[in-house]
């Protein structure tokens, strides 16, 4: 009987046949934030399968430095109007479209060698659904005897679309920890599928059977993620291991743009602080994790529970110098001085703050409370305790006024914080997705439901949205050169930026610099930039 680590090595050599193979597909986009792509959900599902006596392996299709430039998809050709040439200036956005990760053919070969009777494919985000479906196609081509199941936010919200692909045998809606073992048992023992929570599949007559999404009633009941199946060396940061985790699921708020808010099927639940600390301990002691990102939707909402975790981290890991982040965003109203001090003591160096907007109409539209007073208090406390901040607003959403978004940017320009401009995208399962559908605003192709594709053009045009995004870059550049010794950007790039900034303040035009050092104009809304120039000159 071999150990899990020995079995993993034999699996990679094609000498061990596993029951179930879980795959994180490659993605195609203009950029990739690798530290946020750890296949955490697959590791959680794998642990549940192991608990039920199935052998399981994870193939992480993103765990490689390999990437290559590919042609922009036909449905994205309109973006060349906005990303029309490479830009090496500090105000650049996007140009090259890339395939990140292993080839689909390599993934098919891995599936064939695995001998798995069930292959699970993660399809978290709708813009990357094509890559997940292409993974399903190649798995079926190389290993036709297996059954293929897709899970994640996308198939949970749009199971009918996913099951149109004949390579997909099943969809699991909701939390796979509940359903995956039941599905594997049913396949292995030739049992009925109808009663499996969250299951969707084609019946023999071609119609679909679709159950409501599965939900874990008690998060602590399920085992902690199978960390040994993760390719940890790929996720190192500054020589230390990295880990991404969720201390809870769901969110008690009802923001209209969110697909896992209190309006969705996902109830708000928290793991015990003991369970959270034990997972961190396993990541730190077992895999050298020095950077940990909490991906919770609302990590600090329950202050007592959050403080228990922070104080536990400080006590257990005081000699480890952990760096902690909550990159999915923190709600300012849920932060106070004891919490922020405890965050600093535990290892937080930067607070990612979700402001959304200071516009009353925008806040009403997104069903968000006014956070401005709490936000300013948090910025003051962050400064007091030596924490950096990045503060996020949403632009380009349905019914948003671009001039109000300019006011948001100018407000942040005056604050001691970097600016994060989040371009709105319609997320299936959210109220705003339905709003966009009713207004005829949904893009024609699912791959366009991403921020980089500027998917919605309504009361804010695409040119205006891109202008707001570039203004955010300019404001951050000004903040960087004010503290250049701290951020240490490339000095040549600083000089380029200073020259372009001077032109911007003179004309309101935003320029870029080609790789051949030629200055060119970006397509922008001069109406919006002139408002900004008048204020920045002051």
């Amino acid at each position: 009987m071999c150990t899990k680590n020995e079995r993993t090595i034999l699996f990679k050599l094609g000498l061990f046949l596993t029951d179930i193979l879980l795959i994180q597909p490659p993605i195609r986009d203009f950029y990739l934030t690798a530290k946020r792509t750890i296949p955490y959900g697959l590791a959680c599902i794998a642990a549940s399968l192991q608990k039920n006596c199935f052998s399981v392996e994870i193939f992480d299709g993103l765990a490689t430095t390999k990437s290559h430039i590919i042609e922009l998809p036909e449905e994205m050709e309109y973006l060349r109007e906005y990303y029309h040439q490479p830009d090496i200036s500090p105000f650049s956005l996007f140009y090259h479209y890339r395939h990140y990760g292993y080839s689909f053919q390599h993934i098919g070969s891995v599936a064939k060698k695995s001998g798995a009777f069930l292959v699970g494919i993660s399809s978290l985000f709708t813009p990357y659904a094509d890559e997940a479906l292409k993974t399903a196609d190649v798995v079926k081509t190389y290993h036709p005897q297996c059954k293929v199941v897709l899970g994640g936010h996308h198939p949970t919200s749009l199971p009918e679309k996913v099951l149109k692909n004949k390579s997909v045998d099943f969809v699991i809606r909701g939390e796979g920890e509940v359903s995956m073992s039941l599905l594997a048992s049913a396949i292995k023992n030739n049992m009925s599928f109808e009663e499996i929570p969250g299951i969707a599949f084609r019946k023999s007559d071609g119609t679909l059977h679709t159950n409501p999404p599965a939900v874990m009633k008690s998060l602590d009941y399920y085992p902690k993620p199978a960390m040994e199946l993760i390719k940890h060396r790929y996720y190192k940061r500054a020589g230390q291991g990295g880990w991404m985790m969720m201390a809870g699921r769901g969110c008690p708020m009802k923001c209209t743009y969110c697909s896992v808010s209190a309006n969705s099927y996902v109830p708000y639940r928290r793991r015990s602080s003991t369970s959270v600390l034990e997972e961190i301990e396993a990541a730190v002691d077992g895999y050298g994790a020095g950077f940990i990102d909490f991906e919770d939707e609302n990590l600090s909402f329950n202050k007592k529970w959050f403080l228990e975790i922070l104080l536990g981290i400080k006590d257990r890991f005081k000699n480890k110098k952990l760096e902690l982040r909550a990159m999915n965003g923190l709600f300012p109203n849920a932060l106070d001085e004891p919490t922020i001090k405890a965050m600093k003591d535990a290892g937080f160096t930067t607070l990612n703050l979700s402001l959304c907007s200071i516009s009353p109409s925008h806040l009403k539209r997104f069903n968000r409370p006014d956070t401005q007073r709490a936000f300013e208090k948090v910025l003051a406390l962050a400064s007091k305790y030596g924490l950096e901040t990045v503060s996020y607003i949403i632009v380009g959403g349905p019914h948003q006024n671009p001039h109000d978004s300019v006011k948001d940017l100018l407000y942040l320009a005056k604050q001691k914080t970097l600016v994060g401009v989040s371009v709105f995208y319609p997320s299936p399962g959210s109220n705003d997705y339905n709003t966009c559908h009713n207004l005829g605003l949904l893009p024609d192709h699912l791959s366009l439901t991403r921020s980089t594709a500027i998917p919605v053009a309504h009361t804010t045009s695409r040119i205006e949205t891109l202008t707001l995004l570039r203004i955010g870059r300019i404001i951050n550049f000004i903040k960087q050169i004010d503290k250049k010794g701290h951020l240490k950007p490339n000095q040549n790039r600083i000089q380029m930026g200073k020259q372009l900034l001077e032109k911007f303040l003179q004309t309101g035009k935003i320029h870029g610099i080609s790789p051949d050092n030629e200055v060119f104009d970006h397509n922008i809304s001069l109406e919006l930039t002139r408002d900004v120039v008048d204020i920045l000159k002051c």
Side-chain angles (χ1 to χ4, degrees):
M1 188 75 172
C2 57
T3 66
K4 290 179 183 177
N5 287 338
E6 290 170 339
R7 194 170 66 229
T8 298
I9 293 170
L10 292 172
F11 165 75
K12 291 176 180 177
L13 294 173
L15 301 175
F16 175 80
L17 300 184
T18 189
D19 292 330
I20 298 161
L21 175 65
L22 303 178
I23 299 174
Q24 171 160 258
I27 70 167
R28 293 176 169 183
D29 208 333
F30 293 97
Y31 74 99
L32 175 72
T33 307
K35 61 191 173 188
R36 299 187 73 184
T37 64
I38 294 172
Y40 183 77
L42 293 184
C44 293
I45 292 170
S48 182
L49 287 164
Q50 290 173 342
K51 181 180 178 181
N52 286 279
C53 301
F54 291 101
S55 61
V56 55
E57 297 295 340
I58 293 174
F59 183 78
D60 186 352
L62 286 174
T64 174
T65 56
K66 295 178 182 178
S67 74
H68 59 273
I69 297 170
I70 57 175
E71 290 293 322
L72 197 64
E74 184 178 350
E75 68 270 14
M76 293 187 186
E77 279 298 323
Y78 69 93
L79 291 174
R80 283 298 173 224
E81 178 184 350
Y82 312 109
Y83 311 141
H84 53 97
Q85 67 183 98
D87 181 6
I88 61 172
S89 81
F91 310 148
S92 64
L93 294 177
F94 314 109
Y95 182 72
H96 288 303
Y97 194 73
R98 293 178 176 273
H99 176 105
Y100 292 95
Y102 289 97
S103 70
F104 291 106
Q105 292 73 22
H106 180 69
I107 293 172
S109 178
V110 169
K112 180 179 180 180
K113 288 180 180 178
S114 75
F117 73 83
L118 177 60
V119 175
I121 299 170
S122 173
S123 183
L124 285 178
F125 305 113
T126 294
Y128 307 133
D130 285 348
E131 289 89 325
L133 292 174
K134 190 165 183 176
T135 300
D137 288 338
V138 77
V139 165
K140 276 290 191 181
T141 298
Y142 279 75
H143 186 30
Q145 299 85 3
C146 76
K147 296 295 184 182
V148 171
V149 55
L150 261 67
H153 291 309
H154 175 71
T156 293
S157 298
L158 301 172
E160 299 85 359
K161 287 185 179 292
V162 173
L163 285 167
K164 285 181 180 179
N165 185 302
K166 300 303 181 183
S167 297
V168 180
D169 299 295
F170 302 97
V171 156
I172 283 181
R173 307 180 67 214
E175 296 173 323
E177 294 93 329
V178 177
S179 308
M180 194 67 171
S181 295
L182 296 173
L183 174 60
S185 294
I187 293 171
K188 191 172 183 180
N189 298 307
N190 197 26
M191 297 166 59
S192 171
F193 308 116
E194 281 84 354
E195 300 304 316
I196 297 174
I199 200 71
F201 61 93
R202 288 181 300 275
K203 296 191 289 188
S204 57
D205 62 1
T207 61
L208 300 186
H209 177 95
T210 306
N211 285 346
V215 175
M216 294 186 285
K217 293 181 180 179
S218 170
L219 301 185
D220 284 354
Y221 172 78
Y222 292 86
K224 296 175 186 62
M227 294 185 187
E228 74 278 4
L229 301 181
I230 300 294
K231 193 175 178 181
H232 290 276
R233 67 180 181 276
Y234 174 72
Y235 294 104
K236 288 198 171 210
R237 175 185 168 94
Q240 296 189 97
W243 187 242
M244 182 179 82
M245 66 179 297
M246 296 189 72
R249 306 268 179 119
C251 178
M253 297 177 63
K254 297 183 177 181
C255 306
T256 59
Y257 50 78
C258 182
S259 58
V260 290
S261 71
N263 290 319
S264 73
Y265 76 93
V266 185
Y268 174 54
R269 294 146 296 158
R270 302 182 307 276
R271 294 165 58 185
S272 68
S273 56
T274 299
S275 171
V276 173
L277 292 168
E278 286 174 351
E279 181 176 328
I280 295 173
E281 191 170 287
V284 173
D285 294 342
Y287 300 95
F291 174 83
I292 295 173
D293 173 35
F294 291 92
E295 282 288 315
D296 293 56
E297 297 298 326
N298 202 326
L299 179 64
S300 59
F301 185 80
N302 186 298
K303 293 179 184 178
K304 180 181 177 182
W305 168 80
F306 188 37
L307 279 170
E308 286 178 2
I309 293 171
L310 293 171
L311 295 174
I313 292 172
K314 178 187 175 183
D315 181 57
R316 293 194 193 192
F317 309 105
K318 53 190 172 186
N319 297 321
K320 298 288 186 178
K321 294 184 179 179
L322 299 183
E323 180 185 353
L324 308 179
R325 291 288 288 272
M327 298 183 74
N328 216 15
L330 295 159
F331 183 48
N333 293 26
L335 297 172
D336 56 17
E337 184 160 8
T339 304
I340 290 172
K341 182 181 183 304
M343 292 175 77
K344 170 68 174 181
D345 292 343
F348 275 85
T349 58
T350 301
L351 304 183
N352 294 60
L353 302 173
S354 175
L355 178 64
C356 184
S357 178
I358 61 169
S359 163
S361 62
H362 287 186
L363 292 173
K364 182 178 180 181
R365 170 70 193 81
F366 288 126
N367 196 31
R368 290 269 301 189
D370 185 356
T371 65
Q372 186 174 346
R373 181 177 294 182
F375 172 73
E376 291 174 3
K377 288 182 179 178
V378 169
L379 291 184
L381 289 167
S383 179
K384 176 179 177 179
Y385 289 103
L387 292 163
E388 301 291 330
T389 60
V390 185
S391 303
Y392 292 86
I393 60 169
I394 297 176
V395 305
H399 301 293
Q400 278 197 278
N401 184 318
H403 295 281
D404 285 338
S405 295
V406 168
K407 292 177 184 176
D408 287 341
L409 286 168
L410 291 173
Y411 168 73
L412 288 177
K414 298 174 184 177
Q415 309 301 320
K416 191 176 180 181
T417 183
L418 289 178
V419 178
V421 179
S422 298
V423 175
F424 172 87
Y425 60 91
S427 177
S430 68
N431 284 0
D432 280 342
Y433 184 87
N434 297 329
T435 296
C436 289
H437 177 269
N438 294 335
L439 291 171
L441 297 176
L442 288 179
D444 295 333
H445 199 284
L446 291 176
S447 67
L448 303 180
T449 57
R450 67 182 80 191
S451 293
T452 52
I454 327 153
V456 173
H458 190 223
T459 48
T460 302
S461 69
R462 286 196 172 98
I463 283 290
E464 288 170 332
T465 295
L466 262 296
T467 303
L468 294 166
L469 195 55
R470 292 191 190 278
I471 291 170
R473 293 284 174 97
I474 290 171
I475 290 171
N476 282 343
F477 178 75
I478 293 171
K479 291 173 182 280
Q480 284 180 340
I481 60 177
D482 282 346
K483 50 193 293 187
K484 57 190 175 185
H486 181 73
L487 291 177
K488 300 179 182 176
N490 180 281
Q491 292 300 311
N492 290 333
R493 209 158 181 253
I494 287 179
Q495 293 308 315
M496 287 180 189
K498 286 181 176 179
Q499 293 170 12
L500 298 185
L501 178 60
E502 186 175 343
K503 287 177 177 288
F504 172 70
L505 294 175
Q506 289 172 351
T507 66
K509 295 181 179 180
I510 301 177
H511 302 279
I513 299 178
S514 73
D516 296 328
N517 289 316
E518 293 184 3
V519 177
F520 63 90
D521 289 353
H522 283 299
N523 295 328
I524 61 160
S525 166
L526 275 172
E527 183 182 357
L528 295 184
T529 59
R530 283 173 181 149
D531 290 344
V532 174
V533 167
D534 290 342
I535 298 297
L536 292 183
K537 279 183 175 179
C538 299

